[in-house]
Structure formats: C-alpha cells, structure tokens
Amino acid sequence: MSISENLNHIKASLPNHVTLVAVSKTKPVSDVMEAYQAGQRIFGENKIQEMVEKHEALPKDIEWHMIGHVQRNKVKYMASFVSLIHGVDNFKLLEEINKQAKKNNRVINCLLQIKIAAEDSKFGMSAIEAQKILSSEEFTRLTNIHVTGVMGMATFTNNNDQVKMEFQNLKNIFDSLKSYQTANFSPKIISMGMSGDYPLAISCGSTMVRVGSSIFGARHYYHN
Ligand SMILES: *Cc1c(COP(=O)(O)O)cnc(C)c1O
C-alpha cells in the first residue's frame, strides 16, 4: 500500500482524542510530502540535524516533534520551530530548553519521558524524579517551557502482557502527576504506542501515538 493509503487506514482506526505523530526518521522529504498531501501535519524525528533539514525543505505549517534522545548542546538548533519535545528526561535539559526558548521568544512544549521498559537501553526518568521536578521551586521559574504530559516506550518484546503492564504503569504515573499544579504544567498528553503496539497503548489510555514503519514502510539503517 502507498503512504497515503497506510495513513488513511491508520487515521480511520484512531479514536478522536488520539493524535497521530507520523514518524518520518530516515525517510526522504518526498515521503514526508506524500503524507503531507494526504493531510498529515504532525511529523516526528529522532535526530535534531535531520529534523532541521526537513523543516527547512518542507511546508511551514508542519508541526515537528522531537521524539528521540536530546543532547543539551543541540537544543539551540531546533528551538526556533520545534512544536513538542517528547524525550525530556532530566531537569538540566528542561533548563536548556527554557533558555533557548526564551532566546527565540517562545514557549516550548515538552513531555517528561518516563522509563517504563525493563531494558536498560531505554531512556527516561522515574515517577519519583518527575514528581521532584514538578514540585520544585526551580521548575516554576522555567516560564518558557510548558510540560504538557508524559512519554514512554515499552519493552521490545512479543509479550503483550508485559507491554500492557508498562503502558498501564505510565497511565497511572500520568494520573498521579495531575495533582501538581503550576503555571507551566498541564497534563494532557500521554505519548505511548508505536507501529507494533499502538492499539494496545490506546486501550491503556494513550492520547498520542508515534507511528513510523506502518505508514512509511520498514527503515533501512546504514549506520548506527
Ligand atoms: C522510531 C520511533 C517510533 C516509531 O517506530 P515504528 O515502530 O516505526 O512505528 C516511535 N517512537 C520513537 C521514540 C521512535 O524512535
């Protein structure tokens, strides 16, 4: 099936309250354009450099989401245009995003990435660390960021029960964070679910799914 057919098929299956992020990492601009022409406006990338290049080449009404691990020294390259940073896993990164957002006269939306997977390789903070950040005085001073929810990645496994438990865990953590009330925090988004597990994620409370290969086809990596 074509990109637009895949996209329409997935969109038709999503409940209204779930936002689709089309993950275009490693895919050429022409593929993004095909999805754009089919109506998609939200795209996710996991490398800042690649996102910057695509942002420059493509229509400016696209919302770019950074879904990968973010290095502090690279935040400045995307601060002028990024619309949501999913993978914020420490306070120093929030401070840097705040600083760069301020330079650009913007407020940048962020999600706190929570580690829900059993594997060591997945980034993220614990629920306790998230609570510490949201309740801290320092956090309330970051007026150029807005934390709008949480993001998580389940373990890469065929064991559906485990994946389901991890998704339910993220939903519970999200619910527990709702009690924190500061001007730069409004818990609305639970970003969880990818091509292989998004229907399960939605049944566990996801409000935003990040789908790549089911839209654009398998990725071919030549390095890393
Ligand atoms: C690549 C990626 C996705 C999309 O993965 P697919 O299995 O291709 O849908 C989602 N989230 C993150 C963080 C990713 O890096």
Side-chain angles (χ1 to χ4, degrees), residues 15-46:
N16 277 335
H17 69 277
V18 175
T19 301
L20 173 64
V21 179
V23 177
S24 49
K25 65 191 189 195
T26 79
K27 297 296 177 180
V29 160
S30 55
D31 283 7
V32 182
M33 204 54 209
E34 188 176 338
Y36 179 88
Q37 270 154 358
Q40 183 65 21
R41 290 295 179 273
I42 303 176
F43 293 90
E45 290 284 335
N46 72 337

Side-chain angles (χ1 to χ4, degrees), residues 60-79:
K60 295 301 173 282
D61 61 341
I62 289 178
E63 285 181 34
W64 291 101
H65 287 202
M66 174 43 57
I67 62 169
H69 185 65
V70 178
Q71 286 169 278
R72 273 208 305 279
N73 61 347
K74 291 190 179 158
V75 171
K76 55 178 177 282
Y77 302 118
M78 63 174 168

